[in-house]
């Protein structure tokens, strides 16, 4: 149950143990292609305070194309053609990674780079892989810095904007909230340059009125704009994650959001219906694992399904499939994405974690169904 109902809650490690912060190209790279290093260092100093207070942080950062375009001397900030953007991203990503290693390192934090494609997030097997890597990095105290793998993502298989990527990364990492930094204060009730435009502090439901306030998607190969932020808000809130939009153009932008409460917050939809939707969509269940009473009680307290608690495996399924979780009597209690195929589940059933490596021949995953990929009914 997401308990974040105010922007200040985003800095509370109890309510928001894991925060995803997305930074767009225009915040990181000047119009002449120069890095805004001091601005980033200021923001990272603020993030370091949160990290020291026990909050986990994931950064989703754009900027590779804009930086690479400046280095290669490409027109239109590298967006004149897809091959330009791909080449620019290859060059710019090196610089971006170095920048994060420096500024996070200066705060005693370890930067970890992850480049993802749309397919990594849409294919459920690959989604689980990316998710496991994020979890391990966060457990180790690192700060993952994520961008789209623009050099290999072609037009049809691109996110194209890091807003939606940030929402998907929030799901995959089990985040509680996403903060999208923009060059405006948030969503306005009409285009912000129009007279009388008023900032909308909170959106409970994304309906027709909200969509028309955001306006049409941005034209051309450039990305971002309010429409893609709204699409990101839909993905996040449906998955039970809060999404906030705030102005990143100020120095130390986090304090402005947390202390002055300026931004737009999209409230998370809670309840099993919402989470079930994004987990499995309309997919049919491929099978069921039945668990013992101890495991059932642990699940109710928010734990994952471990092999030791499984007493039966029904059906045939592959890694990443959507399965039911039933109690000893066969009543369905939860749904989730399974980490192993059916045959492997049968061989691991009832086994404790330390006995699993011998059976598998490799280190076992942390759970058979991870709590982040599960919904209780
Ligand atoms: N991934 C792109 C980059 O690093 C930017 C995508 C976006 O503008 O949201 O340059």
């Amino acid at each position: 149950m997401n308990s974040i109902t105010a922007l200040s809650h985003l800095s509370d490690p109890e309510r928001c143990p894991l925060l995803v912060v997305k930074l767009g190209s225009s915040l990181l790279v000047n119009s002449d292609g120069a890095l805004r290093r001091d601005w980033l260092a200021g923001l990272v100093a603020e993030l370091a305070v949160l990290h020291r207070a026990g909050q986990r942080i994931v950064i989703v950062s754009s900027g590779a194309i804009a930086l690479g375009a400046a280095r290669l001397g490409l027109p239109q900030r590298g967006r004149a053609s897809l091959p330009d953007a791909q080449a620019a991203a290859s060059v710019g990503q090196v610089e971006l990674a170095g920048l994060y290693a420096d500024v996070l390192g200066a705060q005693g934090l370890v930067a970890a780079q992850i480049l993802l494609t749309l397919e990594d997030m849409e294919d459920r097997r690959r989604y689980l892989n990316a998710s496991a890597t994020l979890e391990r990095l966060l457990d180790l105290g690192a700060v993952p810095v994520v961008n789209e793998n623009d050099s290999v993502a072609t037009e049809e298989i691109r996110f194209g904007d890091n807003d939606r990527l940030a929402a998907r990364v929030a799901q995959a990492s089990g985040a509680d909230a996403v903060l999208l930094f923009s060059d405006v204060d948030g969503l306005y009730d009409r285009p912000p340059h129009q007279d009388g435009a008023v900032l909308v502090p909170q959106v409970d439901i994304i309906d027709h009125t909200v969509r028309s306030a955001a306006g049409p998607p941005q034209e051309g190969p450039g990305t971002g704009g309010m429409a893609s932020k709204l699409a990101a808000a839909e993905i996040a809130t449906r998955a039970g994650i809060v999404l906030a939009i705030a102005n990143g153009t100020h120095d130390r932008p986090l304090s402005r959001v947390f202390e002055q409460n300026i931004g737009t917050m999209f409230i998370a939809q809670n309840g099993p219906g919402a989470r079930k939707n994004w987990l499995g969509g309309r997919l049919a269940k491929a099978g069921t694992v039945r668990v013992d009473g101890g495991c059932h009680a642990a699940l109710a307290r928010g734990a994952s399904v471990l092999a030791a608690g499984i007493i039966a495996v029904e059906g045939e399924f592959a890694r990443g499939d959507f399965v039911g979780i039933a109690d000893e009597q066969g009543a369905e209690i939860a749904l989730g994405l399974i980490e192993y195929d059916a045959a492997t589940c049968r061989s691991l059933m009832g086994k404790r974690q330390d006995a699993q490596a011998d059976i598998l021949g490799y280190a076992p995953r942390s759970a058979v169904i991870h709590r982040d990929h599960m919904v209780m009914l």
Side-chain angles (χ1 to χ4, degrees):
M1 187 81 177
N2 201 312
S3 66
I4 301 169
T5 50
L7 288 170
S8 60
H9 295 163
L10 297 183
S11 64
D12 175 353
E14 300 280 314
R15 289 180 192 257
C16 185
L18 173 48
L19 175 67
V20 174
V21 178
K22 182 255 170 180
L23 312 177
S25 305
S26 58
L27 294 174
L28 279 164
V29 188
N30 278 335
S31 48
D32 58 5
L35 265 177
R36 297 182 65 218
R37 184 181 273 269
D38 291 346
W39 174 84
L40 182 64
L43 170 65
V44 166
E46 293 184 294
L47 291 174
V49 173
L50 301 181
H51 196 269
R52 281 194 288 276
Q55 216 168 1
R56 295 172 162 215
I57 308 287
V58 176
I59 297 174
V60 174
S61 178
S62 309
I65 297 176
L67 274 175
R71 187 53 62 101
L72 293 168
L74 293 169
Q76 291 179 38
R77 281 178 60 101
R79 296 192 187 260
S81 70
L82 184 64
D84 271 9
Q86 291 180 308
S90 300
V91 171
Q93 191 61 42
V94 178
E95 206 170 324
L96 206 54
L99 170 70
Y100 279 103
D102 282 356
V103 292
L104 286 163
Q107 295 292 335
L109 296 171
V110 178
Q113 173 178 269
I114 303 192
L115 299 179
L116 295 171
T117 60
L118 183 65
E119 286 168 317
D120 291 322
M121 294 287 98
E122 299 304 323
D123 174 288
R124 278 169 298 137
R125 252 186 74 215
R126 285 161 67 170
Y127 175 84
L128 290 179
N129 293 342
S131 170
T133 307
L134 283 163
E135 181 181 35
R136 186 70 186 128
L137 285 168
L138 291 164
D139 281 347
L140 292 167
V143 178
V145 180
V146 184
N147 195 1
E148 183 162 14
N149 197 348
D150 293 304
S151 313
V152 297
T154 55
E155 209 66 86
E156 327 75 73
I157 56 152
R158 288 185 89 201
F159 276 104
D161 67 80
N162 277 6
D163 297 322
R164 285 175 305 146
L165 176 66
R168 296 292 277 140
V169 165
Q171 289 179 342
S173 56
D176 307 278
V178 185
L179 175 57
L180 301 179
F181 272 127
S182 166
D183 54 6
V184 291
D185 281 350
L187 177 75
Y188 285 80
D189 61 348
R190 69 202 78 170
H193 56 265
Q194 279 182 19
D195 277 353
V198 176
L199 183 69
V200 181
Q202 184 171 319
V203 175
D204 293 314
I205 301 216
I206 301 170
D207 57 12
H208 175 70
T209 323
V210 175
R211 278 195 199 91
S212 57
Q218 202 157 292
E219 295 278 312
T223 58
M226 207 38 83
S228 82
K229 291 184 174 46
L230 216 55
E234 288 193 71
I235 296 170
T237 55
R238 260 197 250 131
I241 300 165
V242 161
L243 184 137
I245 304 172
N247 197 325
T249 57
H250 303 268
D251 286 340
R252 310 244 159 189
L254 278 179
S255 320
R256 185 169 184 266
V257 178
F258 300 154
E259 287 156 23
Q260 298 178 42
N261 227 10
I262 304 173
T264 299
M265 196 161 89
F266 296 81
I267 299 293
Q269 290 177 32
N270 281 311
R275 277 180 63 78
K276 188 177 156 193
N277 248 339
W278 76 260
L279 265 181
R282 279 175 213 85
L283 287 171
K285 277 178 304 167
T288 298
V289 294
R290 219 183 264 209
V291 299
D292 63 21
C295 180
H296 185 178
L299 295 186
R301 292 192 302 268
S304 300
V305 177
L306 302 183
I310 299 178
I311 52 173
V313 176
E314 293 152 18
E316 290 310 318
F317 45 81
R319 169 165 159 77
D321 274 353
F322 187 52
V323 299
I325 300 154
D327 66 9
E328 279 178 28
Q329 288 71 42
E332 195 157 77
I333 52 172
L335 294 161
L337 301 183
I338 194 122
E339 299 278 351
Y340 296 106
D341 62 29
T344 311
C345 283
R346 289 192 179 98
S347 68
L348 296 181
M349 189 167 86
K351 301 281 190 303
R352 302 186 60 89
Q353 207 70 0
D354 49 11
Q356 293 175 25
D358 288 344
I359 300 168
L360 291 168
Y362 54 86
R365 302 182 188 282
S366 62
V368 175
I369 301 173
H370 193 286
R371 59 174 186 276
D372 287 347
H373 313 307
M374 194 170 77
V375 56
M376 297 299 292
L377 298 178

